[in-house]
Amino acid sequence: MSPATHPFLVIGGGIGGLAAALALARDGHEVRVLERAPVFAEVGAGLQVGPNASRVLDRLGVLEAVTATAFFPTTLTLRDAVSGERLVSLETGEAFEKRFGYRYFVAHRADLHAALLAACRESGRVELLPGKEVTHIEPLRPGAVVRCADGSTHSTGALIAADGLHSRVRGLLIGDADPVDSGYVAYRGTVPIGELAGAGGLREPHGMVIWVGPGLHLVQYPVRRGELCNQVATIDTRRYTQHAGDHRAQLRAAFAATCPDVRVGIELLDASRRWQMFDRAPVTGWSREGITLVGDAAHPMLQYLAQGACQAIEDSMVLAGRVAAHAGDAPAAFAAYEALRAPRTGRVQTTARTWGEILHVDGIGAGLRASLLAHQAPDDYTVVDWLYAFDAAGGPAAAPAPLTTEEIPA
Ligand SMILES: Cc1cc2nc3c(=O)[nH]c(=O)nc-3n(C[C@H](O)[C@H](O)[C@H](O)COP(=O)(O)OP(=O)(O)OC[C@H]3O[C@@H](n4cnc5c(N)ncnc54)[C@H](O)[C@@H]3O)c2cc1C
């Protein structure tokens, strides 16, 4: 017996999958979400959210819930991890909000995920099915029949795959090679802010700071209304090979030459688990015959611009907009969605790689970086207009500036 056809089927209940489901539900569509994990939840620690994503979260009706426990940094600062000196700051207070319409905020990932999940449930239009690992996909042209490890099958004329970096559906549509291993790994976790401050490791209590050094960096920012500090330490494992196999010792050795503030943070960081940093070069071809990709499945990127989840959130609004514009024609809607998204997400992917090079530069390059950044005014937003002024709904963005400026300070 063939399974009943579902209007919209989403594979993956991460931030990308839930945002897509919610955006479609807000437009009156019925959506089923299949998630392989036994419960819908998000692991990991903090997440930075730029105004480009806040604009969408606001339209989806979840911004208030997401920001209830968020922290709003007043500055984004780059510091030299070795000397401790401040290299540059971007003010993210009133002037930033005036320009982009929203503040920059940092949240616990679980809080953002929980707000999307609650809104999906409350919509009454999203059926959330945990414990459904999709193992087979058979194209229907349009759509697909998917089979799960538990033996259930689900049929749809419109399949949206939000199954992340190692997307099974991407393999079917594009069939490209494995994601690119950057050689960098990230350690991340939260620490009570009082503990960090007490140990002398909190230089920017009201802001977000990135300590940059040769082949390494440490990001610190408060979350949960400032009760916790989220830390992400990233090292190049091709450069820092000492103690490979012992995560704690390798991390400590990599940061041995950094200033005391940084070393305090590193000592308080959970080193029991670490994440390899992968991305892919931009490609097209992620929409075909009623099947499409969103989020990391479509455009995985390095985390250096803190935009992976933000781009997934943008995807949701553009996708719902194209579905509305091509009512009843999922293949046309998905093709139009990809045509709008690919140039944008491709630019973010490649800029994230470039920004990573700038963060991790060594020797004379680091000196040049310092002297170039010294001329950057803290309220000069032209360098981030292209990223933060973007309006995924296609309406007028808050910022008046044309999106033609270069993204990297120079
Ligand atoms: C260290 C680090 C820091 C980051 N910081 C930021 C930041 O500050 N700001 C930001 O915007 N982004 C950040 N990102 C990126 C962000 O985490 C990701 O881009 C985002 O979580 C991608 O969401 P997604 O829903 O597309 O994929 P995922 O979060 O990977 O979700 C995929 C979901 O699909 C499910 N799934 C997979 N396969 C199947 C299957 N076969 N069947 C059923 N379900 C399946 C998985 O269980 C999972 O729930 C960071 C990333 C890293 C690594």
Side-chain angles (χ1 to χ4, degrees), residues 16-90:
L18 292 188
L22 183 59
L24 290 166
R26 291 282 188 242
D27 283 351
H29 301 288
E30 301 288 323
V31 190
R32 176 177 288 176
V33 184
L34 306 176
E35 167 56 48
R36 71 177 166 196
V39 286
F40 282 81
E42 177 76 22
V43 289
L47 199 71
Q48 303 173 50
V49 182
N52 55 314
S54 293
R55 209 166 283 128
V56 175
L57 294 172
D58 199 7
R59 288 212 183 87
L60 292 178
V62 293
L63 186 64
E64 211 179 310
V66 175
T67 53
T69 54
F71 182 83
F72 296 88
T74 52
T75 48
L76 310 183
T77 297
L78 223 56
R79 281 184 177 273
D80 187 308
V82 179
S83 69
E85 276 169 28
R86 192 175 67 81
L87 297 171
V88 71
S89 277
L90 189 76

Coordinates of all heavy atoms in Angstrom, one line a residue, residues 16-90:
G16 N 17.4 24.8 11.0 CA 17.0 25.0 9.6 C 15.7 24.3 9.3 O 14.8 24.9 8.7
G17 N 15.5 23.1 9.7 CA 14.3 22.3 9.4 C 13.1 22.9 10.2 O 12.0 23.1 9.6
L18 N 13.2 23.3 11.4 CA 12.1 23.9 12.2 C 11.7 25.3 11.6 O 10.5 25.6 11.6 CB 12.4 23.9 13.7 CG 12.6 22.6 14.4 CD1 12.7 22.9 15.9 CD2 11.4 21.7 14.1
A19 N 12.7 26.0 11.3 CA 12.4 27.4 10.7 C 11.7 27.3 9.4 O 10.7 28.0 9.2 CB 13.7 28.2 10.5
A20 N 12.1 26.3 8.5 CA 11.4 26.1 7.3 C 9.9 25.6 7.5 O 9.0 26.1 6.9 CB 12.1 25.1 6.4
A21 N 9.8 24.7 8.5 CA 8.4 24.2 8.8 C 7.6 25.3 9.3 O 6.4 25.4 8.9 CB 8.5 23.1 9.8
L22 N 8.1 26.1 10.2 CA 7.3 27.2 10.8 C 6.9 28.3 9.7 O 5.8 28.7 9.7 CB 8.1 27.9 11.9 CG 7.4 29.0 12.7 CD1 6.1 28.5 13.3 CD2 8.3 29.6 13.8
A23 N 7.9 28.6 8.9 CA 7.6 29.6 7.8 C 6.4 29.1 6.9 O 5.5 29.9 6.6 CB 8.8 29.9 7.0
L24 N 6.5 27.9 6.6 CA 5.4 27.3 5.7 C 4.1 27.2 6.5 O 3.0 27.5 6.0 CB 5.8 25.9 5.2 CG 6.9 25.9 4.2 CD1 7.5 24.5 4.0 CD2 6.4 26.5 2.8
A25 N 4.2 26.8 7.8 CA 2.9 26.8 8.6 C 2.3 28.1 8.8 O 1.1 28.2 8.7 CB 3.3 26.2 10.0
R26 N 3.1 29.2 8.9 CA 2.6 30.5 9.1 C 1.8 30.9 7.8 O 0.9 31.8 7.9 CB 3.7 31.5 9.3 CG 4.4 31.4 10.6 CD 3.6 32.0 11.8 NE 4.3 32.1 13.0 CZ 4.0 31.4 14.1 NH1 2.9 30.7 14.2 NH2 4.7 31.6 15.2
D27 N 2.1 30.3 6.7 CA 1.4 30.6 5.4 C 0.2 29.7 5.2 O -0.3 29.6 4.1 CB 2.3 30.6 4.2 CG 3.2 31.8 4.1 OD1 2.9 32.8 4.9 OD2 4.1 31.9 3.3
G28 N -0.1 28.9 6.2 CA -1.3 28.0 6.1 C -1.0 26.6 5.6 O -2.0 25.8 5.4
H29 N 0.3 26.2 5.4 CA 0.6 24.9 4.9 C 0.7 23.8 6.0 O 1.1 24.2 7.1 CB 1.9 24.9 4.1 CG 1.8 25.8 3.0 ND1 1.1 25.6 1.8 CD2 2.4 27.0 2.8 CE1 1.2 26.6 1.0 NE2 2.0 27.5 1.5
E30 N 0.3 22.6 5.7 CA 0.5 21.5 6.6 C 1.9 20.9 6.4 O 2.3 20.7 5.2 CB -0.5 20.4 6.4 CG -1.9 20.8 6.5 CD -2.3 21.0 8.0 OE1 -1.9 20.3 8.8 OE2 -3.1 22.0 8.2
V31 N 2.7 20.7 7.4 CA 4.1 20.2 7.3 C 4.3 19.0 8.2 O 3.9 19.1 9.4 CB 5.1 21.3 7.6 CG1 6.5 20.9 7.2 CG2 4.7 22.7 7.0
R32 N 5.1 18.0 7.7 CA 5.5 16.9 8.6 C 7.0 17.0 8.7 O 7.7 17.1 7.7 CB 5.1 15.6 8.0 CG 5.6 14.4 8.8 CD 5.1 13.1 8.3 NE 3.6 12.9 8.5 CZ 2.9 11.8 8.0 NH1 3.5 10.9 7.3 NH2 1.7 11.7 8.3
V33 N 7.6 16.9 9.9 CA 9.0 16.9 10.1 C 9.5 15.6 10.7 O 9.0 15.1 11.7 CB 9.4 18.1 11.1 CG1 11.0 18.1 11.2 CG2 8.9 19.4 10.7
L34 N 10.5 15.0 10.0 CA 11.0 13.7 10.4 C 12.4 14.0 11.0 O 13.3 14.5 10.3 CB 11.2 12.8 9.2 CG 10.0 12.5 8.4 CD1 10.3 11.6 7.2 CD2 8.9 11.8 9.2
E35 N 12.6 13.6 12.2 CA 13.9 13.8 12.9 C 14.4 12.5 13.4 O 13.7 11.7 14.1 CB 13.7 14.8 14.1 CG 14.9 14.9 15.0 CD 16.2 15.2 14.4 OE1 16.3 16.2 13.6 OE2 17.2 14.5 14.7
R36 N 15.7 12.2 13.2 CA 16.2 10.9 13.5 C 16.4 10.7 15.0 O 16.4 9.6 15.6 CB 17.5 10.6 12.8 CG 18.7 11.4 13.2 CD 20.0 11.1 12.5 NE 20.9 12.1 12.7 CZ 22.0 12.3 12.0 NH1 22.3 11.5 11.0 NH2 22.9 13.2 12.3
A37 N 16.7 11.8 15.7 CA 17.0 11.8 17.2 C 15.7 11.4 17.9 O 14.6 11.7 17.4 CB 17.5 13.1 17.7
P38 N 15.8 10.7 19.1 CA 14.6 10.3 19.8 C 13.7 11.5 20.3 O 12.6 11.3 20.6 CB 15.1 9.5 21.0 CG 16.6 9.8 21.0 CD 17.0 10.3 19.7
V39 N 14.4 12.7 20.5 CA 13.6 13.9 20.9 C 14.1 15.0 20.0 O 15.3 15.0 19.6 CB 13.8 14.3 22.4 CG1 13.1 13.3 23.3 CG2 15.3 14.3 22.7
F40 N 13.2 16.0 19.9 CA 13.7 17.2 19.2 C 14.5 18.1 20.1 O 13.9 18.6 21.2 CB 12.4 18.0 18.7 CG 11.8 17.5 17.4 CD1 11.0 16.4 17.5 CD2 12.2 18.0 16.2 CE1 10.4 15.8 16.3 CE2 11.6 17.5 15.0 CZ 10.8 16.4 15.1
A41 N 15.7 18.3 19.9 CA 16.6 19.1 20.8 C 17.8 19.5 20.1 O 18.1 19.0 19.0 CB 17.0 18.2 22.0
E42 N 18.5 20.5 20.6 CA 19.7 21.1 20.0 C 20.8 20.9 21.0 O 20.7 21.3 22.2 CB 19.5 22.5 19.7 CG 20.6 23.3 19.1 CD 20.9 22.9 17.6 OE1 20.0 22.5 16.9 OE2 22.1 23.1 17.2
V43 N 21.9 20.3 20.6 CA 23.1 20.2 21.4 C 24.0 21.4 21.1 O 23.9 22.1 20.1 CB 23.8 18.9 21.3 CG1 23.0 17.8 21.9 CG2 24.2 18.6 19.9
G44 N 25.0 21.6 22.0 CA 26.0 22.7 21.7 C 25.8 23.8 22.7 O 25.0 23.6 23.7
A45 N 26.4 24.9 22.5 CA 26.4 26.0 23.4 C 25.7 27.2 22.9 O 24.5 27.2 22.5 CB 27.8 26.2 23.9
G46 N 26.5 28.3 22.7 CA 25.9 29.6 22.3 C 25.8 29.7 20.8 O 26.4 29.0 20.0
L47 N 25.1 30.8 20.4 CA 24.9 31.1 19.0 C 24.8 32.6 18.9 O 24.0 33.2 19.6 CB 23.6 30.4 18.6 CG 23.3 30.2 17.1 CD1 24.3 29.1 16.6 CD2 21.9 29.8 16.9
Q48 N 25.5 33.2 18.0 CA 25.4 34.6 17.7 C 24.3 34.8 16.6 O 24.3 34.0 15.6 CB 26.7 35.1 17.2 CG 27.9 34.9 18.1 CD 29.2 35.4 17.5 OE1 29.3 36.5 17.0 NE2 30.2 34.5 17.5
V49 N 23.5 35.8 16.8 CA 22.4 36.0 15.8 C 22.5 37.4 15.3 O 22.3 38.4 16.1 CB 21.1 35.7 16.4 CG1 19.9 35.9 15.4 CG2 21.0 34.2 17.0
G50 N 22.8 37.6 14.0 CA 22.8 38.9 13.4 C 21.4 39.4 13.1 O 20.5 38.7 13.1
P51 N 21.3 40.7 12.8 CA 20.0 41.3 12.5 C 19.3 40.8 11.3 O 18.1 40.8 11.2 CB 20.3 42.8 12.4 CG 21.8 42.9 12.2 CD 22.4 41.7 12.8
N52 N 20.1 40.2 10.4 CA 19.5 39.6 9.2 C 18.6 38.4 9.6 O 17.6 38.2 8.9 CB 20.6 39.2 8.2 CG 21.6 38.2 8.8 OD1 22.2 38.5 9.9 ND2 22.0 37.1 8.1
A53 N 19.0 37.7 10.6 CA 18.2 36.6 11.1 C 17.1 37.0 12.0 O 16.0 36.5 12.0 CB 19.1 35.5 11.7
S54 N 17.4 38.1 12.8 CA 16.4 38.6 13.7 C 15.2 39.1 13.0 O 14.0 38.9 13.4 CB 16.9 39.7 14.5 OG 17.9 39.3 15.4
R55 N 15.4 39.7 11.8 CA 14.3 40.2 11.0 C 13.4 39.1 10.6 O 12.2 39.2 10.6 CB 15.0 40.8 9.7 CG 14.2 41.9 9.0 CD 15.1 42.6 8.0 NE 16.1 43.4 8.6 CZ 17.4 43.4 8.4 NH1 17.9 42.6 7.5 NH2 18.2 44.3 9.0
V56 N 13.9 37.9 10.3 CA 13.1 36.7 10.0 C 12.4 36.2 11.2 O 11.2 35.9 11.2 CB 14.0 35.6 9.3 CG1 13.1 34.4 9.0 CG2 14.6 36.2 8.0
L57 N 13.2 36.0 12.3 CA 12.6 35.5 13.5 C 11.4 36.3 14.0 O 10.4 35.8 14.5 CB 13.7 35.4 14.6 CG 14.8 34.4 14.4 CD1 15.9 34.6 15.4 CD2 14.3 33.0 14.3
D58 N 11.5 37.7 13.8 CA 10.5 38.6 14.1 C 9.2 38.3 13.3 O 8.1 38.1 13.8 CB 10.9 40.0 13.9 CG 10.1 41.0 14.7 OD1 9.2 40.6 15.4 OD2 10.2 42.2 14.5
R59 N 9.4 38.1 12.0 CA 8.3 37.8 11.1 C 7.7 36.4 11.4 O 6.5 36.2 11.2 CB 8.8 37.8 9.6 CG 9.1 39.2 9.1 CD 8.7 39.3 7.7 NE 9.1 40.7 7.2 CZ 10.3 41.0 6.8 NH1 11.3 40.1 6.7 NH2 10.6 42.3 6.5
L60 N 8.5 35.5 11.9 CA 8.0 34.2 12.2 C 7.3 34.3 13.6 O 6.7 33.3 14.0 CB 9.1 33.2 12.3 CG 9.7 32.8 10.9 CD1 10.9 31.8 11.1 CD2 8.7 32.2 10.0
G61 N 7.4 35.4 14.3 CA 6.7 35.5 15.6 C 7.4 34.9 16.8 O 6.8 34.6 17.8
V62 N 8.7 34.6 16.6 CA 9.4 34.0 17.8 C 10.6 34.8 18.4 O 11.2 34.4 19.3 CB 10.0 32.6 17.3 CG1 9.0 31.6 17.0 CG2 11.0 32.8 16.1
L63 N 10.8 36.0 17.8 CA 11.9 36.8 18.3 C 11.8 37.1 19.8 O 12.8 37.0 20.5 CB 12.0 38.1 17.5 CG 13.3 39.0 17.8 CD1 14.5 38.2 17.4 CD2 13.2 40.3 17.1
E64 N 10.6 37.4 20.3 CA 10.5 37.8 21.7 C 10.9 36.6 22.6 O 11.6 36.7 23.5 CB 9.0 38.2 21.9 CG 8.9 39.2 23.1 CD 7.5 39.6 23.3 OE1 6.8 39.9 22.3 OE2 7.0 39.5 24.5
A65 N 10.4 35.4 22.2 CA 10.7 34.2 23.0 C 12.2 33.9 22.9 O 12.8 33.5 23.9 CB 9.9 33.0 22.4
V66 N 12.8 34.0 21.7 CA 14.2 33.7 21.6 C 15.1 34.7 22.4 O 16.1 34.3 23.0 CB 14.6 33.8 20.1 CG1 16.1 33.6 19.9 CG2 13.9 32.8 19.3
T67 N 14.7 35.9 22.4 CA 15.5 36.9 23.1 C 15.2 37.1 24.6 O 15.9 37.8 25.3 CB 15.4 38.3 22.4 OG1 14.0 38.7 22.3 CG2 16.0 38.3 21.0
A68 N 14.2 36.3 25.1 CA 13.9 36.4 26.5 C 15.1 36.1 27.4 O 15.2 36.8 28.5 CB 12.7 35.5 26.8
T69 N 15.9 35.2 27.0 CA 17.1 34.9 27.8 C 18.4 35.2 27.1 O 19.5 34.8 27.5 CB 17.1 33.3 28.1 OG1 17.0 32.7 26.8 CG2 16.0 32.9 29.0
A70 N 18.3 36.1 26.0 CA 19.5 36.4 25.3 C 20.3 37.5 25.9 O 19.9 38.1 26.8 CB 19.1 36.8 23.9
F71 N 21.5 37.6 25.4 CA 22.4 38.7 25.9 C 22.7 39.6 24.7 O 22.9 39.1 23.5 CB 23.7 38.1 26.4 CG 24.6 39.2 26.9 CD1 24.5 39.7 28.2 CD2 25.7 39.7 26.1 CE1 25.3 40.7 28.7 CE2 26.5 40.7 26.6 CZ 26.4 41.1 27.9
F72 N 22.6 40.9 24.9 CA 22.8 41.9 23.8 C 24.2 42.6 24.0 O 24.3 43.5 24.8 CB 21.7 42.9 23.8 CG 20.4 42.3 23.5 CD1 19.6 41.8 24.5 CD2 19.9 42.3 22.2 CE1 18.3 41.3 24.2 CE2 18.7 41.7 21.9 CZ 17.9 41.2 22.9
P73 N 25.2 42.1 23.3 CA 26.5 42.7 23.5 C 26.5 44.2 22.9 O 25.8 44.5 22.0 CB 27.5 41.9 22.6 CG 26.6 41.2 21.7 CD 25.2 41.1 22.3
T74 N 27.3 45.0 23.6 CA 27.4 46.4 23.1 C 28.5 46.6 22.1 O 28.5 47.6 21.4 CB 27.6 47.4 24.3 OG1 28.7 46.9 25.0 CG2 26.4 47.4 25.2
T75 N 29.4 45.6 22.0 CA 30.5 45.7 21.1 C 30.9 44.3 20.6 O 30.7 43.3 21.3 CB 31.8 46.3 21.7 OG1 32.0 45.7 22.9 CG2 31.7 47.8 21.9
L76 N 31.4 44.3 19.3 CA 32.0 43.1 18.8 C 33.5 43.5 18.7 O 33.8 44.4 17.9 CB 31.5 42.6 17.5 CG 30.0 42.5 17.3 CD1 29.6 42.0 15.9 CD2 29.4 41.6 18.4
T77 N 34.4 42.8 19.4 CA 35.8 43.3 19.5 C 36.7 42.2 19.0 O 36.6 41.0 19.4 CB 36.1 43.7 20.9 OG1 35.3 44.8 21.2 CG2 37.6 44.1 21.0
L78 N 37.8 42.6 18.3 CA 38.9 41.7 18.0 C 40.1 42.1 18.8 O 40.5 43.2 18.8 CB 39.2 41.9 16.5 CG 39.4 40.7 15.6 CD1 38.2 39.7 15.6 CD2 39.6 41.2 14.1
R79 N 40.7 41.1 19.5 CA 41.9 41.4 20.2 C 43.0 40.4 19.8 O 42.7 39.3 19.4 CB 41.6 41.2 21.7 CG 40.9 42.3 22.4 CD 40.8 42.1 23.9 NE 40.2 43.2 24.6 CZ 40.9 44.3 25.0 NH1 42.2 44.4 24.9 NH2 40.2 45.3 25.6
D80 N 44.2 40.9 19.9 CA 45.4 40.0 19.6 C 45.5 39.0 20.8 O 45.7 39.5 22.0 CB 46.6 40.9 19.5 CG 47.8 40.0 19.0 OD1 48.1 39.0 19.6 OD2 48.4 40.4 18.0
A81 N 45.5 37.7 20.5 CA 45.5 36.7 21.6 C 46.9 36.7 22.3 O 46.9 36.3 23.5 CB 45.2 35.4 21.1
V82 N 47.9 37.1 21.6 CA 49.2 37.0 22.2 C 49.6 38.3 23.0 O 49.9 38.2 24.2 CB 50.3 36.8 21.1 CG1 51.7 36.8 21.7 CG2 50.0 35.5 20.3
S83 N 49.4 39.5 22.4 CA 49.7 40.7 23.2 C 48.5 41.2 24.0 O 48.7 42.0 25.0 CB 50.0 41.8 22.1 OG 48.8 42.2 21.5
G84 N 47.3 40.7 23.7 CA 46.2 41.2 24.5 C 45.6 42.5 24.0 O 44.5 42.9 24.4
E85 N 46.3 43.1 23.0 CA 45.8 44.4 22.5 C 44.5 44.4 21.7 O 44.3 43.4 21.0 CB 46.9 45.1 21.6 CG 48.0 45.8 22.4 CD 49.2 46.1 21.5 OE1 49.0 46.3 20.3 OE2 50.3 46.2 22.0
R86 N 43.7 45.5 21.9 CA 42.5 45.6 21.1 C 42.9 45.9 19.7 O 43.6 46.9 19.4 CB 41.6 46.6 21.7 CG 40.2 46.6 21.1 CD 39.3 47.6 21.8 NE 39.7 49.0 21.6 CZ 39.4 49.7 20.5 NH1 38.7 49.1 19.5 NH2 39.8 50.9 20.3
L87 N 42.4 45.2 18.7 CA 42.6 45.5 17.3 C 41.6 46.4 16.7 O 41.8 47.3 15.9 CB 42.8 44.2 16.5 CG 43.9 43.2 16.9 CD1 43.8 41.9 16.2 CD2 45.3 43.9 16.6
V88 N 40.3 46.0 16.9 CA 39.2 46.8 16.4 C 37.9 46.4 17.1 O 37.8 45.4 17.7 CB 39.0 46.5 14.8 CG1 38.5 45.1 14.6 CG2 38.2 47.5 14.1
S89 N 37.0 47.4 17.1 CA 35.6 47.1 17.7 C 34.5 47.6 16.8 O 34.7 48.6 16.1 CB 35.5 47.9 19.0 OG 36.0 47.2 20.1
L90 N 33.4 46.9 16.8 CA 32.2 47.4 16.1 C 31.2 47.6 17.2 O 30.9 46.7 18.0 CB 31.7 46.3 15.1 CG 30.6 46.8 14.2 CD1 31.2 47.7 13.1 CD2 30.0 45.6 13.5

